[in-house]
Amino acid sequence: MALAVEQLACIRGERQLFSDLTFRLAPGEALLLHGPNGSGKSSLLRLLAGFLPPAGGRVLWDGASALEDAEAHRARLQYLGHQDAVKSQLGTGDNLLFWARLYGLDPVAAATAVSAALDAAGLQRQRDLPGRYLSAGQKRRLALARLLLKPATLWLLDEPTNALDTSAVRWLGELLAAHRARGGMIILASHVTVPMNDARELLLPEGVLT
Ligand SMILES: Nc1ncnc2c1ncn2[C@@H]1O[C@H](COP(=O)(O)OP(=O)(O)OP(=O)(O)O)[C@@H](O)[C@H]1O
């Protein structure tokens, strides 16, 4: 199981953001995306999630084209973007239930998984509170709790620490470490330090890998 990115290029609007991006990711590995505002970190994550077509190059999963079979690709990844995707009318628990059902869990399994995820995210007390009343950090915790509902190999995370307090950042660090220990892979964009050991780093737009 491996992700390989070969000579990837991305154009947004009229502008070429990057070209000739090449890297590999094996089970348990993590890659941190760095670069100034507008350098293409979010665009790369969206491209790897299959939301944007590459302007050139290839994304391979186990040696085969990853993006052609959109359904298979969606099944192997979890993408958390800038937006928390919290539904304002739904309660916190029902927000997670929505995702759990979307990920294919049956009602009983979904209810169990949601309760465990609320516990882990420290949101059990907010279970019935509509999403619109959550604080920014609580919304981010809720978004991160989705990672617990679906076993996906590849996590694509865009600025996951946004609005998190110290204890939530520590929790995120534990989630990342546990995912890698299970053989999961992580690609993560962040402007701040993320608690993660032995991650490689990719600097955009140049594509320098360290
Ligand atoms: N739909 C779009 N049409 C045209 N240009 C776009 C579009 N989406 C993004 N861009 C441009 O692409 C460039 C890269 O944006 P992107 O969000 O990938 O950067 P980033 O490295 O994640 O930035 P930040 O650090 O500010 O989050 C920016 O100049 C942005 O204006």
Side-chain angles (χ1 to χ4, degrees), residues 12-13 15 17 35-44 82 158-159 191:
R12 309 273 343 236
R15 206 176 126 222
L17 295 182
N37 292 139
S39 57
K41 302 177 296 297
S42 298
S43 300
L44 174 58
H82 274 288
D158 203 348
E159 302 287 352
H191 284 287

Side-chain angles (χ1 to χ4, degrees), residues 30-34 196 198-203 207-210:
L31 184 66
L32 282 172
L33 305 182
H34 291 298
M196 193 156 62
D198 307 323
R200 284 185 298 149
E201 307 202 0
L202 181 69
L203 182 66
V208 178
L209 199 60
T210 51

Side-chain angles (χ1 to χ4, degrees), residues 26-32 78 80 140 144 147-148 152-161 164 168-190 192-199:
E29 287 189 333
L31 184 66
L32 282 172
Q78 273 269 37
L80 292 191
R140 201 65 190 159
L144 290 169
L147 295 171
L148 302 172
T153 307
L154 177 62
W155 286 4
L156 302 172
L157 310 178
D158 203 348
E159 302 287 352
T161 61
L164 293 183
V169 170
R170 207 176 309 121
W171 172 55
L172 171 64
E174 289 163 10
L175 290 183
L176 299 175
H179 183 59
R180 293 175 69 188
R182 285 191 298 269
M185 307 171 194
I186 298 167
I187 303 180
L188 187 157
S190 181
V192 301
T193 307
V194 177
M196 193 156 62
N197 294 327
D198 307 323

Side-chain angles (χ1 to χ4, degrees), residues 4-170:
V5 166
E6 295 180 349
Q7 297 178 303
L8 203 62
C10 177
I11 294 176
R12 309 273 343 236
E14 304 280 282
R15 206 176 126 222
Q16 173 134 313
L17 295 182
F18 51 79
S19 62
D20 206 17
L21 214 63
T22 296
F23 62 85
R24 294 176 66 82
L25 211 58
E29 287 189 333
L31 184 66
L32 282 172
L33 305 182
H34 291 298
N37 292 139
S39 57
K41 302 177 296 297
S42 298
S43 300
L44 174 58
L45 289 171
R46 293 182 63 77
L47 200 155
L48 294 174
F51 302 149
L52 269 181
R58 303 195 301 169
V59 179
L60 303 173
W61 187 265
D62 285 342
S65 175
L67 304 178
E68 262 166 40
D69 185 344
E71 203 176 323
H73 192 52
R74 253 199 317 276
R76 66 173 72 104
L77 69 85
Q78 273 269 37
Y79 167 84
L80 292 191
H82 274 288
Q83 307 286 338
D84 296 317
V86 170
K87 298 192 183 309
S88 59
Q89 263 101 327
L90 285 185
T92 303
D94 284 344
N95 260 280
L96 285 179
L97 207 52
F98 166 83
W99 287 104
R101 300 287 284 138
L102 195 72
Y103 296 151
L105 274 68
D106 67 50
V108 174
T112 307
V114 164
S115 193
L118 286 170
D119 277 339
L123 290 172
Q124 199 61 262
R125 274 178 49 211
Q126 286 76 24
R127 172 186 277 267
D128 297 321
L129 193 67
R132 64 180 174 279
Y133 295 132
L134 293 177
S135 72
Q138 287 168 337
K139 281 184 184 154
R140 201 65 190 159
R141 283 169 183 247
L142 180 53
L144 290 169
R146 276 165 40 202
L147 295 171
L148 302 172
L149 300 178
K150 172 185 161 186
T153 307
L154 177 62
W155 286 4
L156 302 172
L157 310 178
D158 203 348
E159 302 287 352
T161 61
N162 273 0
L164 293 183
D165 64 20
T166 317
S167 77
V169 170
R170 207 176 309 121

